[in-house]
Amino acid sequence: MADLSKKTVERLCVYHRELLELENEGTDHIFSHQLAKRAGVSPVQLRHDIMGIGYSGSPARGYEISEMLKSIAKQLLSTKQQNVAIVGIGNLGRAIMAYFHGRRENIRIIAGFDSDLQKINRTISGCYCYSMNDIERICKYHKIKAAIIAVPEREAQDIAEKLSQAGIRGIMNFAPVRLVLPDSIYVENLDMALTLEKVAYFARQ
Amino acid sequence: MADLSKKTVERLCVYHRELLELENEGTDHIFSHQLAKRAGVSPVQLRHDIMGIGYSGSPARGYEISEMLKSIAKQLLSTKQQNVAIVGIGNLGRAIMAYFHGRRENIRIIAGFDSDLQKINRTISGCYCYSMNDIERICKYHKIKAAIIAVPEREAQDIAEKLSQAGIRGIMNFAPVRLVLPDSIYVENLDMALTLEKVAYFARQ
DNA sequence: ATATTACTGTTAAATAAATAACAACGTTAA
DNA sequence: TTAACGTTGTTATTTATTTAACAGTAATAT
Ligand SMILES: NC(=O)c1ccc[n+]([C@@H]2O[C@H](COP(=O)([O-])OP(=O)(O)OC[C@H]3O[C@@H](n4cnc5c(N)ncnc54)[C@H](O)[C@@H]3O)[C@@H](O)[C@H]2O)c1
Ligand SMILES: NC(=O)c1ccc[n+]([C@@H]2O[C@H](COP(=O)([O-])OP(=O)(O)OC[C@H]3O[C@@H](n4cnc5c(N)ncnc54)[C@H](O)[C@@H]3O)[C@@H](O)[C@H]2O)c1
């Protein structure tokens, strides 16, 4: 398996999603420029990305959707279900749990964690919630390798370290703070305040 | 005003936030390597970014926080309050409205829009909500140039076009779909499903 | 005074990413 | 049968971004 860049992985996910939709619509073949348009990238870039995963289309018919899906999935998606945890069952945490509940089959939010006693030992938005004390046990039991942080800013670093301790290798962080963690842990910050500032900046230019 | 790259703008926002916190803590000077650590970047990159905005520190004392804040703000932040709109007052929209309410003074979510009659003409999570019919009028009246899309996927493209019509120049899009819009409109996608897939991918590597 | 130190700002080099260029190849139409 | 077409895969080129190198500088210690 070649190691794909962060950007390439991101785009492959987009292609995968668009291809799934096309397949549902009953389409069986597609040209690079068509798929590129749907994905919001240039056709050359799409072909370049596809080159990286070893799949080939035909100059005459373009890409065969079902085969291409298989190739992308082989590179990106785990063969078995990937279990994900979420820490912080607040406004945002609940919205996320509700959103992901029963949605993706490959990735599943399987456990919630919170320090608030009101929230633990019950199912919220389709996801069972545990005490923070259970975090290591549950993560190891369910082989959870990725987690979502949706706790207040000041708690985030501490939670990140606990997750690291529990064997987590990837974190999607919503707290507006840069986590300091070993390089072996992949962190993706979804920082809304920051993003909105960026959007506001470019909207002015 | 030099035109800063997307990445640089993003990092400057992080520096700005960290500097504000440092100022609150009573610190008045800081060295590049200290601030860089807090921001999660390399010291060289930080100095490079700072070079771009024209501010200079002293080799002896490092950067003067209050001055540096002013310089960054001058480049990034609007002098007047920037009003932002949000379309889609669902689970996510409400969480966002609650989060931003009374938080930032520079950027403010000033109007919500939804097609659901239950939600319009009242204040939800600290933000007044309007009918979709009012979108152009309100956006122009409040000089809204940036907007958040939090409507279901299938509605997003249509809403984006309506926003474009209403004079919006920047969009933060939460719907898992690539919006097709003129290049003059800056779009930032916060695609959680995609991001989670990416995190899961790198967590496996 | 002067050397040392630890930092900054800036230029140069290296790396990463996107774009362009084009040969190879089926398909279609003449 | 063959020429024209439109598309792919791949290699080059360009552009963007990051990292490294180092001269300049103010404070401090000698
Ligand atoms: N709500 C949003 O739309 C939004 C937008 C941008 C950023 N964020 C960020 O996302 C995070 C969560 O935001 P929110 O609005 O859901 O906050 P919230 O206050 O609604 O929820 C926070 C949750 O974390 C739990 N918690 C607190 N400390 C904890 C700990 N030590 N261990 C485990 N759980 C703990 C609380 O019990 C609560 O359930 C914050 O960092 C916030 O800055 C949220
Ligand atoms: N909830 C999450 O955490 C989450 C996570 C990832 C992505 N998203 C995306 O964010 C968007 C919103 O998610 P949600 O969970 O809040 O959904 P939701 O169903 O709770 O809310 C959607 C809101 O949009 C409104 N709406 C529908 N059509 C509209 C139209 N044409 N004009 C104006 N308003 C309209 C609805 O009335 C509703 O209030 C979706 O695109 C979803 O895919 C949400």
PDB file of all heavy atoms in Angstrom, chain A residues 4-20:
ATOM      1  N   LEU A   4      -0.436   7.493   0.918  1.00  0.00           N
ATOM      2  CA  LEU A   4      -1.088   8.598   0.243  1.00  0.00           C
ATOM      3  C   LEU A   4      -1.023   9.847   1.111  1.00  0.00           C
ATOM      4  O   LEU A   4      -1.089   9.764   2.325  1.00  0.00           O
ATOM      5  CB  LEU A   4      -2.548   8.216  -0.018  1.00  0.00           C
ATOM      6  CG  LEU A   4      -2.730   6.881  -0.757  1.00  0.00           C
ATOM      7  CD1 LEU A   4      -4.158   6.389  -0.630  1.00  0.00           C
ATOM      8  CD2 LEU A   4      -2.336   7.034  -2.214  1.00  0.00           C
ATOM      9  N   SER A   5      -0.922  10.985   0.456  1.00  0.00           N
ATOM     10  CA  SER A   5      -0.868  12.235   1.207  1.00  0.00           C
ATOM     11  C   SER A   5      -2.242  12.557   1.783  1.00  0.00           C
ATOM     12  O   SER A   5      -3.270  12.063   1.335  1.00  0.00           O
ATOM     13  CB  SER A   5      -0.406  13.376   0.315  1.00  0.00           C
ATOM     14  OG  SER A   5      -1.493  13.860  -0.437  1.00  0.00           O
ATOM     15  N   LYS A   6      -2.206  13.405   2.795  1.00  0.00           N
ATOM     16  CA  LYS A   6      -3.426  13.829   3.473  1.00  0.00           C
ATOM     17  C   LYS A   6      -4.441  14.385   2.477  1.00  0.00           C
ATOM     18  O   LYS A   6      -5.620  14.034   2.517  1.00  0.00           O
ATOM     19  CB  LYS A   6      -3.028  14.921   4.475  1.00  0.00           C
ATOM     20  CG  LYS A   6      -4.061  15.248   5.510  1.00  0.00           C
ATOM     21  CD  LYS A   6      -3.476  16.241   6.514  1.00  0.00           C
ATOM     22  CE  LYS A   6      -4.498  17.311   6.843  1.00  0.00           C
ATOM     23  NZ  LYS A   6      -4.038  18.250   7.875  1.00  0.00           N
ATOM     24  N   LYS A   7      -3.954  15.194   1.586  1.00  0.00           N
ATOM     25  CA  LYS A   7      -4.846  15.816   0.602  1.00  0.00           C
ATOM     26  C   LYS A   7      -5.439  14.774  -0.336  1.00  0.00           C
ATOM     27  O   LYS A   7      -6.607  14.841  -0.703  1.00  0.00           O
ATOM     28  CB  LYS A   7      -4.054  16.837  -0.229  1.00  0.00           C
ATOM     29  CG  LYS A   7      -3.523  17.986   0.593  1.00  0.00           C
ATOM     30  CD  LYS A   7      -4.341  19.235   0.336  1.00  0.00           C
ATOM     31  CE  LYS A   7      -3.716  20.421   1.023  1.00  0.00           C
ATOM     32  NZ  LYS A   7      -3.764  21.625   0.203  1.00  0.00           N
ATOM     33  N   THR A   8      -4.587  13.838  -0.748  1.00  0.00           N
ATOM     34  CA  THR A   8      -5.068  12.797  -1.656  1.00  0.00           C
ATOM     35  C   THR A   8      -6.129  11.944  -0.971  1.00  0.00           C
ATOM     36  O   THR A   8      -7.176  11.648  -1.554  1.00  0.00           O
ATOM     37  CB  THR A   8      -3.902  11.921  -2.124  1.00  0.00           C
ATOM     38  OG1 THR A   8      -2.895  12.751  -2.697  1.00  0.00           O
ATOM     39  CG2 THR A   8      -4.358  10.927  -3.164  1.00  0.00           C
ATOM     40  N   VAL A   9      -5.869  11.560   0.262  1.00  0.00           N
ATOM     41  CA  VAL A   9      -6.843  10.759   1.011  1.00  0.00           C
ATOM     42  C   VAL A   9      -8.173  11.489   1.077  1.00  0.00           C
ATOM     43  O   VAL A   9      -9.233  10.901   0.836  1.00  0.00           O
ATOM     44  CB  VAL A   9      -6.320  10.463   2.442  1.00  0.00           C
ATOM     45  CG1 VAL A   9      -7.424   9.881   3.303  1.00  0.00           C
ATOM     46  CG2 VAL A   9      -5.135   9.523   2.383  1.00  0.00           C
ATOM     47  N   GLU A  10      -8.093  12.770   1.351  1.00  0.00           N
ATOM     48  CA  GLU A  10      -9.310  13.570   1.440  1.00  0.00           C
ATOM     49  C   GLU A  10     -10.085  13.541   0.118  1.00  0.00           C
ATOM     50  O   GLU A  10     -11.291  13.313   0.102  1.00  0.00           O
ATOM     51  CB  GLU A  10      -8.918  15.006   1.797  1.00  0.00           C
ATOM     52  CG  GLU A  10     -10.081  15.876   2.159  1.00  0.00           C
ATOM     53  CD  GLU A  10      -9.589  17.214   2.687  1.00  0.00           C
ATOM     54  OE1 GLU A  10      -8.640  17.241   3.504  1.00  0.00           O
ATOM     55  OE2 GLU A  10     -10.148  18.244   2.268  1.00  0.00           O
ATOM     56  N   ARG A  11      -9.348  13.745  -0.964  1.00  0.00           N
ATOM     57  CA  ARG A  11     -10.044  13.745  -2.258  1.00  0.00           C
ATOM     58  C   ARG A  11     -10.586  12.368  -2.606  1.00  0.00           C
ATOM     59  O   ARG A  11     -11.690  12.249  -3.143  1.00  0.00           O
ATOM     60  CB  ARG A  11      -9.096  14.253  -3.347  1.00  0.00           C
ATOM     61  CG  ARG A  11      -8.868  15.754  -3.292  1.00  0.00           C
ATOM     62  CD  ARG A  11      -8.155  16.241  -4.538  1.00  0.00           C
ATOM     63  NE  ARG A  11      -6.846  15.639  -4.677  1.00  0.00           N
ATOM     64  CZ  ARG A  11      -5.698  16.206  -4.287  1.00  0.00           C
ATOM     65  NH1 ARG A  11      -5.713  17.400  -3.727  1.00  0.00           N
ATOM     66  NH2 ARG A  11      -4.560  15.591  -4.449  1.00  0.00           N
ATOM     67  N   LEU A  12      -9.847  11.329  -2.301  1.00  0.00           N
ATOM     68  CA  LEU A  12     -10.343   9.980  -2.582  1.00  0.00           C
ATOM     69  C   LEU A  12     -11.655   9.719  -1.842  1.00  0.00           C
ATOM     70  O   LEU A  12     -12.556   9.078  -2.377  1.00  0.00           O
ATOM     71  CB  LEU A  12      -9.288   8.934  -2.194  1.00  0.00           C
ATOM     72  CG  LEU A  12      -8.095   8.831  -3.155  1.00  0.00           C
ATOM     73  CD1 LEU A  12      -7.011   7.932  -2.569  1.00  0.00           C
ATOM     74  CD2 LEU A  12      -8.514   8.305  -4.520  1.00  0.00           C
ATOM     75  N   CYS A  13     -11.764  10.225  -0.632  1.00  0.00           N
ATOM     76  CA  CYS A  13     -13.017  10.085   0.108  1.00  0.00           C
ATOM     77  C   CYS A  13     -14.150  10.773  -0.635  1.00  0.00           C
ATOM     78  O   CYS A  13     -15.272  10.255  -0.700  1.00  0.00           O
ATOM     79  CB  CYS A  13     -12.889  10.690   1.502  1.00  0.00           C
ATOM     80  SG  CYS A  13     -11.848   9.768   2.636  1.00  0.00           S
ATOM     81  N   VAL A  14     -13.866  11.935  -1.185  1.00  0.00           N
ATOM     82  CA  VAL A  14     -14.903  12.648  -1.939  1.00  0.00           C
ATOM     83  C   VAL A  14     -15.300  11.844  -3.169  1.00  0.00           C
ATOM     84  O   VAL A  14     -16.482  11.664  -3.446  1.00  0.00           O
ATOM     85  CB  VAL A  14     -14.417  14.055  -2.360  1.00  0.00           C
ATOM     86  CG1 VAL A  14     -15.501  14.764  -3.160  1.00  0.00           C
ATOM     87  CG2 VAL A  14     -14.039  14.875  -1.141  1.00  0.00           C
ATOM     88  N   TYR A  15     -14.307  11.343  -3.892  1.00  0.00           N
ATOM     89  CA  TYR A  15     -14.621  10.546  -5.090  1.00  0.00           C
ATOM     90  C   TYR A  15     -15.493   9.348  -4.706  1.00  0.00           C
ATOM     91  O   TYR A  15     -16.465   9.037  -5.382  1.00  0.00           O
ATOM     92  CB  TYR A  15     -13.352  10.018  -5.770  1.00  0.00           C
ATOM     93  CG  TYR A  15     -12.306  11.052  -6.104  1.00  0.00           C
ATOM     94  CD1 TYR A  15     -10.961  10.718  -6.168  1.00  0.00           C
ATOM     95  CD2 TYR A  15     -12.672  12.380  -6.355  1.00  0.00           C
ATOM     96  CE1 TYR A  15      -9.995  11.664  -6.472  1.00  0.00           C
ATOM     97  CE2 TYR A  15     -11.708  13.332  -6.649  1.00  0.00           C
ATOM     98  CZ  TYR A  15     -10.372  12.976  -6.708  1.00  0.00           C
ATOM     99  OH  TYR A  15      -9.417  13.902  -6.994  1.00  0.00           O
ATOM    100  N   HIS A  16     -15.089   8.709  -3.620  1.00  0.00           N
ATOM    101  CA  HIS A  16     -15.815   7.521  -3.172  1.00  0.00           C
ATOM    102  C   HIS A  16     -17.279   7.839  -2.925  1.00  0.00           C
ATOM    103  O   HIS A  16     -18.172   7.111  -3.368  1.00  0.00           O
ATOM    104  CB  HIS A  16     -15.157   6.988  -1.891  1.00  0.00           C
ATOM    105  CG  HIS A  16     -15.651   5.634  -1.479  1.00  0.00           C
ATOM    106  ND1 HIS A  16     -16.628   5.465  -0.534  1.00  0.00           N
ATOM    107  CD2 HIS A  16     -15.316   4.394  -1.907  1.00  0.00           C
ATOM    108  CE1 HIS A  16     -16.858   4.164  -0.382  1.00  0.00           C
ATOM    109  NE2 HIS A  16     -16.071   3.494  -1.211  1.00  0.00           N
ATOM    110  N   ARG A  17     -17.503   8.957  -2.249  1.00  0.00           N
ATOM    111  CA  ARG A  17     -18.876   9.348  -1.942  1.00  0.00           C
ATOM    112  C   ARG A  17     -19.659   9.654  -3.217  1.00  0.00           C
ATOM    113  O   ARG A  17     -20.801   9.219  -3.372  1.00  0.00           O
ATOM    114  CB  ARG A  17     -18.847  10.562  -1.026  1.00  0.00           C
ATOM    115  CG  ARG A  17     -20.204  10.987  -0.590  1.00  0.00           C
ATOM    116  CD  ARG A  17     -20.129  11.827   0.659  1.00  0.00           C
ATOM    117  NE  ARG A  17     -19.433  13.079   0.396  1.00  0.00           N
ATOM    118  CZ  ARG A  17     -18.891  13.828   1.360  1.00  0.00           C
ATOM    119  NH1 ARG A  17     -18.925  13.425   2.612  1.00  0.00           N
ATOM    120  NH2 ARG A  17     -18.301  14.947   1.056  1.00  0.00           N
ATOM    121  N   GLU A  18     -19.038  10.364  -4.122  1.00  0.00           N
ATOM    122  CA  GLU A  18     -19.734  10.702  -5.369  1.00  0.00           C
ATOM    123  C   GLU A  18     -20.016   9.444  -6.187  1.00  0.00           C
ATOM    124  O   GLU A  18     -21.069   9.316  -6.798  1.00  0.00           O
ATOM    125  CB  GLU A  18     -18.902  11.694  -6.194  1.00  0.00           C
ATOM    126  CG  GLU A  18     -18.742  13.065  -5.549  1.00  0.00           C
ATOM    127  CD  GLU A  18     -20.056  13.801  -5.332  1.00  0.00           C
ATOM    128  OE1 GLU A  18     -20.996  13.631  -6.141  1.00  0.00           O
ATOM    129  OE2 GLU A  18     -20.159  14.553  -4.339  1.00  0.00           O
ATOM    130  N   LEU A  19     -19.059   8.524  -6.182  1.00  0.00           N
ATOM    131  CA  LEU A  19     -19.256   7.280  -6.938  1.00  0.00           C
ATOM    132  C   LEU A  19     -20.397   6.452  -6.361  1.00  0.00           C
ATOM    133  O   LEU A  19     -21.182   5.867  -7.111  1.00  0.00           O
ATOM    134  CB  LEU A  19     -17.947   6.468  -6.923  1.00  0.00           C
ATOM    135  CG  LEU A  19     -16.815   7.024  -7.789  1.00  0.00           C
ATOM    136  CD1 LEU A  19     -15.509   6.304  -7.488  1.00  0.00           C
ATOM    137  CD2 LEU A  19     -17.160   6.924  -9.276  1.00  0.00           C
ATOM    138  N   LEU A  20     -20.482   6.439  -5.030  1.00  0.00           N
ATOM    139  CA  LEU A  20     -21.585   5.710  -4.405  1.00  0.00           C
ATOM    140  C   LEU A  20     -22.919   6.285  -4.864  1.00  0.00           C
ATOM    141  O   LEU A  20     -23.840   5.538  -5.199  1.00  0.00           O
ATOM    142  CB  LEU A  20     -21.496   5.813  -2.879  1.00  0.00           C
ATOM    143  CG  LEU A  20     -20.553   4.851  -2.167  1.00  0.00           C
ATOM    144  CD1 LEU A  20     -20.604   5.092  -0.665  1.00  0.00           C
ATOM    145  CD2 LEU A  20     -20.910   3.397  -2.481  1.00  0.00           C
TER     146      LEU A  20
END
